[in-house]
Amino acid sequence: MQVQDVDLRLLRIFVAIVECGGLSAAESRLNIGRSTISSHLSDLEVRLGLKLCKRGRSGFELTEPGRITYQASLELMQQCEAFATTVASSKNALSGRATISVIDTMVSDPRCGVARAIAALKKKSNNIQFDINVCEAREVETSVVNGRSLVGLGVSRHHLRGLDYFPLYNESNFLYCGIAHPLFACEPNQVDALLQQAEVVSSNYMRDKETRNDGLNYQNTAVAYHDEGIAHLILSGQFIGYLPDHYASYWVEKGLFKAILPERYSYKIPVVLITSKSNASSPLANALVEQMKLCHQS
């Protein structure tokens, strides 16, 4: 088949569906409704003459042709980006898409230099299109290794082959309760007993999930996938949970959140700049990496 503009758009939608794990989950990334996403997926299947996935009550699952199409789509996207980068570099000017993936709530951390890096690059060239994707920690790495993002800002427990990790700073996380929770205004001698009864938000997004061993109750009725979800649950007064201090400070200053025994229930996570080894020849990627490093040193 001859690949046309419409095919590239449909393939990008298909890649987003696969990486998000289904049509519903892809709505926020694509900023279009599920029915429209479903229609685009059906159009792609007709265009290719393939059944790409199974979708229904049992969930979303790629077929074998779908898996092959997904891998081929990633390669095609990388080639398109490489073409744009090569043409841009021939002009001896910075141009193209500066794609950045970051974990959520980074914008509230004054040490985060993403905004400063964008400002510095914008001053160097008006021919750069900035594209920022806020996503779960594992997706940040996937986005960089698949070539969808030039750089990523996040955390990583298991480094992926083909990626470089540059440490930026340590993020502090504390255990918080909301003003309506019994722990908020209890007597000091009641804290340990109430902690054993308290339900802690379980999070698939927990940034050090594999190393948590604090003896608290994670067998509960609340799950969140982002820090914002954890904050909603803490605000309900029914749950306690860990949040980065820079993010929780908004509610702490308003008297709505309180850190619980911060000397005992806290941890630090290294925030890292994630880059791809395959982008070493890209002027825009190199400039973005350089600015990200510089802007996190100040």
Side-chain angles (χ1 to χ4, degrees):
M1 62 174 286
Q2 295 295 318
V3 179
Q4 302 175 3
D5 288 347
V6 65
D7 299 313
L8 288 172
R9 180 169 181 267
L10 293 176
L11 288 170
R12 290 186 188 280
I13 291 173
F14 174 60
V15 167
I17 294 170
V18 175
E19 292 183 347
C20 291
L23 279 67
S24 296
E27 287 183 281
S28 58
R29 180 194 288 187
L30 296 171
N31 198 29
I32 53 178
R34 179 173 177 173
S35 60
T36 304
I37 295 174
S38 179
S39 177
H40 287 321
L41 181 57
S42 297
D43 290 344
L44 180 61
E45 290 180 324
V46 170
R47 177 82 172 117
L48 297 175
L50 297 170
K51 183 69 174 177
L52 298 175
C53 61
K54 300 174 184 177
R55 51 192 193 275
R57 293 184 178 180
S58 59
F60 176 85
E61 181 182 356
L62 280 179
T63 61
E64 183 60 18
R67 185 189 64 77
I68 294 171
T69 301
Y70 170 65
Q71 293 298 328
S73 298
L74 292 178
E75 294 173 7
L76 179 59
M77 301 300 113
Q78 289 176 325
Q79 290 167 2
C80 288
E81 291 293 334
F83 170 81
T85 299
T86 300
V87 172
S89 63
S90 69
K91 302 175 184 178
N92 295 318
L94 290 177
S95 63
R97 281 202 314 148
T99 48
I100 307 168
S101 286
V102 298
I103 52 177
D104 72 326
T105 74
M106 285 290 98
V107 69
S108 64
D109 194 330
R111 296 170 299 177
C112 179
V114 172
R116 295 189 292 275
I118 291 172
L121 283 177
K122 184 67 173 173
K123 289 178 181 177
K124 290 186 176 183
S125 173
N126 285 321
N127 297 318
I128 301 174
Q129 175 187 341
F130 293 94
D131 185 349
I132 297 184
N133 179 35
V134 179
C135 50
E136 196 269 345
R138 286 168 293 184
E139 192 181 345
V140 171
E141 290 179 288
T142 302
S143 179
V144 177
V145 80
N146 287 342
R148 190 161 54 85
S149 297
L150 291 180
V151 301
L153 185 72
V155 298
S156 174
R157 291 182 295 272
H158 306 293
H159 292 184
L160 300 183
R161 183 181 302 173
L163 297 181
D164 287 323
Y165 298 81
F166 183 81
L168 299 176
Y169 58 88
N170 289 326
E171 179 190 75
S172 296
N173 287 249
F174 295 92
L175 181 65
Y176 293 94
C177 64
I179 191 171
H181 196 279
L183 276 162
F184 192 88
C186 71
E187 297 297 328
N189 61 357
Q190 297 176 310
V191 173
D192 286 334
L194 289 173
L195 270 172
Q196 295 307 310
Q197 301 171 20
E199 291 186 72
V200 187
V201 178
S202 294
S203 173
N204 287 338
Y205 185 65
M206 193 177 292
R207 292 174 178 174
D208 69 336
K209 185 177 179 182
E210 295 180 0
T211 59
R212 175 81 84 254
N213 185 23
D214 53 17
L216 298 177
N217 174 26
Y218 289 92
Q219 303 301 317
N220 56 36
T221 55
V223 178
Y225 296 88
H226 296 85
D227 284 340
E228 186 171 341
I230 297 173
H232 279 298
L233 290 163
I234 296 173
L235 284 167
S236 75
Q238 303 302 306
F239 304 93
I240 61 176
Y242 285 93
L243 285 174
D245 60 345
H246 59 83
Y247 183 60
S249 64
Y250 172 83
W251 293 282
V252 171
E253 291 169 4
K254 288 181 175 293
L256 298 176
F257 276 11
K258 176 182 177 181
I260 307 167
L261 300 180
E263 69 284 354
R264 184 192 305 177
Y265 297 105
S266 65
Y267 59 91
K268 294 182 182 294
I269 304 175
V271 175
V272 295
L273 178 66
I274 304 169
T275 63
S276 173
K277 297 179 187 294
S278 63
N279 284 334
S281 61
S282 165
L284 180 56
N286 290 335
L288 179 57
V289 170
E290 179 184 2
Q291 286 300 329
M292 289 284 280
K293 289 180 178 179
L294 286 174
C295 292
H296 283 89
Q297 292 175 358
S298 56

